[in-house]
Amino acid sequence: MNTSAVRHYLAGLQDRIVAALAAFDGQPFRRDAWDRGTACVIEEGNFFERGGVNFSHVTGENLPASATAHRPELAGRKWEAMGVSLVLHPRNPHCPTSHMNVRCFVATKDGAEPVWWFGGGMDLTPYYGYAEDCVHFHRTCKDALKPFGADVHGRYKKWCDDYFFLKHRNEPRGIGGIFFDDLNDAGAGGFDRCFALIRSIGDVFTTAYLPICQRRRDLAYGERERDFQAYRRGRYVEFNLVWDRGTLFGLQSGGRTESILMSLPPVVKWRYDWHPGPGSAEEKLYTDFLPPRDWV
């Protein structure tokens, strides 16, 4: 088990993704180093209204309740968690929001075998649906997982559909992607194989996302589209603050609040009992894109 190699990869992944995003936007990211990581953030860019790519490496003596509630065997262990997490909110409503995260967790105790796992994934949250964008995103995810087994993509896609679901709204957050947690392959070479899987995901994020942004960045929009984007962004906020385990773990484990909450969009609206007009492009998002389906 080589956690230093994982840390080295994750720090380098942050640098590579930030460089690609800054080149796409035309403005640099602000970089804030703190004692347990680095936050790279862009606000009011040429393309991104807000975006953040964070690297963190957090250690502790006792895990927060959000972690031990479903893994009681972790109580009383020293632990370290490291990962890269990003959320990107374009200004143009025709361009989707996207999220990606890859992470590693290790817990140790004298006289006992270490407990470790990897987790992560990526997903897409469009405001206006374009089938070719959905196909491209899901196909890139599927290709990234091909080397790890024929059934892996199907399982991680369903996991993503199930996880990024607003139970109190009975609706998906977006069109999904892939998601997994607690990945631990026992036996010789298991750690290395799981590490290779998160590298495969991290390495293809810009390939999955930026071509979609390039295709849509110059499409015209007006007040109606911005208004709907702000309304749907409200769902993003609700999920992150009500259901997301990563947000809760970060806040309970002493993470940097500014870095954790950089995932929230800068302009959001809520409306009482609002429904899209029949046959509208806004309604098509709900009827044709948000319901889980096999895009590839």
Side-chain angles (χ1 to χ4, degrees), residues 146-162:
K146 276 183 180 177
F148 303 95
D151 65 328
V152 173
H153 174 259
R155 289 192 289 112
Y156 289 3
K157 179 190 181 300
K158 184 180 186 305
W159 201 336
C160 186
D161 291 337
D162 293 342

Side-chain angles (χ1 to χ4, degrees), residues 157-201:
K157 179 190 181 300
K158 184 180 186 305
W159 201 336
C160 186
D161 291 337
D162 293 342
Y163 182 76
F164 292 105
F165 187 83
L166 289 89
K167 300 177 182 67
H168 63 289
R169 296 282 190 183
N170 195 33
E171 66 183 49
R173 186 173 83 171
I175 60 104
I178 52 176
F179 178 81
F180 64 98
D181 207 356
D182 301 334
L183 176 64
N184 178 315
D185 286 353
F191 186 91
D192 292 339
R193 180 184 182 277
C194 296
F195 181 24
L197 190 147
I198 69 157
R199 292 200 306 271
S200 187
I201 293 171

Side-chain angles (χ1 to χ4, degrees), residues 211-222:
I212 296 171
C213 296
Q214 181 63 45
R215 191 180 296 135
R216 308 296 167 198
R217 69 183 304 171
D218 295 325
L219 292 182
Y221 62 90

Side-chain angles (χ1 to χ4, degrees), residues 64-66 240-253 260:
S66 61
N240 280 25
L241 296 184
V242 176
W243 298 110
D244 187 62
R245 282 170 52 190
T247 300
L248 185 61
F249 176 82
L251 294 173
Q252 290 186 345
S253 63
I260 296 165

Side-chain angles (χ1 to χ4, degrees), residues 228-247:
F228 182 62
Q229 179 193 47
Y231 174 77
R232 285 297 306 171
R233 280 174 168 179
R235 301 298 202 260
Y236 208 90
V237 172
E238 290 176 22
F239 180 85
N240 280 25
L241 296 184
V242 176
W243 298 110
D244 187 62
R245 282 170 52 190
T247 300

Side-chain angles (χ1 to χ4, degrees), residues 113-152:
E113 287 293 316
V115 176
W116 59 267
W117 66 76
F118 290 87
M122 66 176 89
D123 63 287
L124 199 68
T125 305
Y127 305 99
Y128 289 90
Y130 296 94
E132 63 181 315
D133 297 349
C134 300
V135 170
H136 168 79
F137 190 83
H138 280 275
R139 181 171 290 144
T140 305
C141 291
K142 185 175 183 178
D143 289 345
L145 294 175
K146 276 183 180 177
F148 303 95
D151 65 328
V152 173

Side-chain angles (χ1 to χ4, degrees), residues 39-81:
C40 295
V41 178
I42 186 170
E43 292 190 300
E44 297 301 326
N46 296 317
F47 177 79
F48 295 110
E49 193 167 17
R50 175 181 290 167
V53 185
N54 293 336
F55 165 73
S56 62
H57 184 194
V58 183
T59 61
E61 296 289 329
N62 292 292
L63 283 160
S66 61
T68 57
H70 73 292
R71 296 293 294 267
E73 72 275 18
L74 298 178
R77 286 176 175 257
K78 296 180 180 180
W79 60 273
E80 61 177 319

